[in-house]
Amino acid sequence: MEYLKLAGLASAAVPDLDVVAAAPYSTGTTGDYDAALLRTADGPTVIVRQPRFAAAAAEQLAQGRALAALTEGLRSRLPFTVPTMVGQWRSRETQLAVFSFILGQDCAQVELTHDSLLVAEMGRSIAAIHALPKSFIGEAGLPVFDVAAVRDSVEQLIDRADTTGRLPNALATRWGAALDDPSLWEFSPSVIHGSLERSSFITNGASVVGVLGWSDLRIGDPAQDMRWAQTLDGATERVLFDEYVDARGATVDRQLRQRAVLYAELELARWLLHGVEAQDATVIADAEQLLDGLVTRVRSLESTELRHETLPVLDLAGVQELLAEAGMKARHHEANLPKRTQAPETGSEQRPEADAEHGPARDSDD
């Protein structure tokens, strides 16, 4: 049985690991990783992950580097738990890693409303990440992007999507206008998580107890970590942003929400590019339908531009659902942009199949 084999390999990766129970960890669909949950003699539960493909192996290595950079001192600044890599094992044929496991439920499975204390805490949790000292990122050899590099990466993405011939002119114009608005790009780069999703947050039902998916830890645009908030209803989104702003204070730039909207919309461009690069007609058709829907919604707004004085409200919940179902594969193929992939390290014992760390539709179906 695969999970017993993984338990044996985990013991090789962590010599003092005393496994007393093992269970398969699966989303029920074939994906990028084989995984198993292991209970140890001294109580803690760990998760062992074995990548199936080269992209997943690279992602797991990036995860390990990021987690190693988050020292105990840095972790003490955060109001939640960050997973720990407790061991790894590599051979010519395979790679395997063992991570601590955070008990709880990912917030994709929890109703988020404007009066929820959990939403407020999510905003403060993001602020805590962005308030981390920036020096450790460069010292750890993790990516550092200044304002120009962030803007250039966005421009590259738009250009690549446009060259497919499948990007609606209305969106090319809208996104191009955002690129050309210098006031939109007046921000101070900070430490960012890099691939935050609603499911990245683990809750015990009352508060945020953990944040997952650290493989894209870097210096970059704080708005990238707020992109996912565009899937919330307007009132809930405002609470999250207000709590974030209150926690960050004067360091928050005025155009944070506008760029978050832009990044949310650009997920559709990434999805289109993934379909084109993979020559997957189904994905291409899905992306084109979503882009057309975005055009319709944008045209219903008073302004079709993402200028610094505008803040169009877009409901992208359907987009999020599609991309989550697809495992956000577009991110693995976006070589010219700062990666924002989800990476394995720990998860939610209650609903592991929806956990951001282990990835929707990405684990073994053994």
Side-chain angles (χ1 to χ4, degrees):
M1 300 172 72
E2 186 66 29
Y3 73 93
L4 294 178
K5 176 183 176 182
L6 290 174
L9 292 173
S11 297
V14 186
D16 58 348
L17 189 69
D18 187 3
V19 178
V20 297
Y25 188 91
S26 173
T27 62
T29 55
T30 301
D32 289 351
Y33 296 89
D34 292 314
L37 289 180
L38 311 178
R39 185 160 56 85
T40 62
D42 56 355
T45 299
V46 298
I47 183 166
V48 54
R49 305 296 302 276
Q50 183 176 25
R52 289 182 170 181
F53 308 110
E59 180 184 72
Q60 185 157 276
L61 288 174
Q63 180 79 352
R65 288 192 295 270
L67 294 179
L70 288 167
T71 63
E72 288 302 316
L74 292 168
R75 291 169 185 243
S76 69
R77 296 170 177 251
L78 300 172
F80 50 78
T81 299
V82 175
T84 301
M85 178 185 282
V86 296
Q88 58 182 326
W89 181 81
R90 298 177 66 182
S91 69
R92 180 179 301 179
E93 295 80 17
T94 189
Q95 169 190 308
L96 177 141
V98 181
F99 300 93
S100 60
F101 189 83
I102 301 175
L103 300 179
Q105 185 176 31
D106 77 73
C107 286
Q109 309 304 314
V110 177
E111 182 180 6
L112 298 179
T113 60
H114 72 279
D115 56 352
S116 167
L117 294 178
L118 180 57
V119 171
E121 192 161 320
M122 292 167 80
R124 292 191 293 269
S125 294
I126 299 172
I129 296 171
H130 294 176
L132 289 174
K134 294 188 285 188
S135 59
F136 84 94
I137 295 291
E139 293 170 356
L142 298 175
V144 176
F145 293 92
D146 60 16
V147 174
V150 170
R151 184 191 173 282
D152 287 347
S153 71
V154 171
E155 185 173 19
Q156 291 173 28
L157 175 59
I158 295 171
D159 288 345
R160 291 180 60 207
D162 199 27
T163 57
T164 67
R166 299 175 183 274
L167 182 66
N169 289 334
L171 294 182
T173 299
R174 173 179 169 83
W175 297 342
L179 279 173
D180 294 338
D181 184 351
S183 64
L184 200 66
W185 303 96
E186 295 175 353
F187 68 90
S188 297
S190 70
V191 175
I192 64 172
H193 177 282
S195 54
L196 271 184
E197 302 289 344
R198 179 168 170 169
S199 54
S200 301
F201 299 90
I202 300 300
T203 179
N204 59 5
S207 61
V208 175
V209 296
V211 174
L212 312 177
W214 294 88
S215 62
D216 293 315
L217 182 64
R218 64 161 77 91
I219 300 293
D221 185 354
Q224 291 178 332
D225 279 351
M226 310 301 286
R227 168 192 52 79
W228 68 275
Q230 304 308 309
T231 64
L232 302 172
D233 67 80
T236 304
E237 180 206 10
R238 284 192 293 274
V239 169
L240 184 136
F241 269 88
D242 287 347
E243 290 292 335
Y244 172 86
V245 171
D246 286 346
R248 290 285 282 149
T251 60
V252 178
D253 70 276
R254 293 178 298 171
Q255 317 310 329
L256 179 75
R257 295 179 71 182
Q258 282 88 336
R259 292 197 312 282
V261 171
L262 175 63
Y263 292 133
E265 294 180 10
L266 289 175
E267 287 301 300
L268 302 188
R270 291 177 181 272
W271 187 235
L272 172 65
L273 284 171
H274 169 58
V276 171
E277 292 168 0
Q279 299 182 358
D280 189 321
T282 299
V283 172
I284 292 173
D286 285 341
E288 289 182 327
Q289 182 178 8
L290 288 166
L291 288 165
D292 288 342
L294 180 58
V295 169
T296 300
R297 189 173 295 275
V298 163
R299 285 175 174 167
S300 70
L301 300 171
E302 292 183 3
S303 171
T304 60
E305 295 184 19
L306 275 165
R307 300 192 309 270
H308 64 275
E309 67 268 24
T310 65
L311 183 59
V313 178
L314 301 176
D315 178 9
L316 297 183
V319 176
Q320 182 194 45
E321 182 178 351
L322 172 65
L323 295 182
E325 180 181 350
M328 303 300 281
K329 293 298 184 182
R331 293 174 178 172
H332 290 293
H333 300 273
E334 197 53 66
N336 293 328
L337 291 171
K339 282 183 57 187
R340 292 201 323 282
T341 53
Q342 292 175 320
E345 78 223 12
T346 181
S348 162
E349 190 167 75
Q350 297 178 30
R351 286 297 300 273
E353 70 274 14
D355 170 69
E357 210 51 64
H358 308 300
R362 292 178 58 181
D363 291 327
S364 167
D365 58 353
D366 297 325

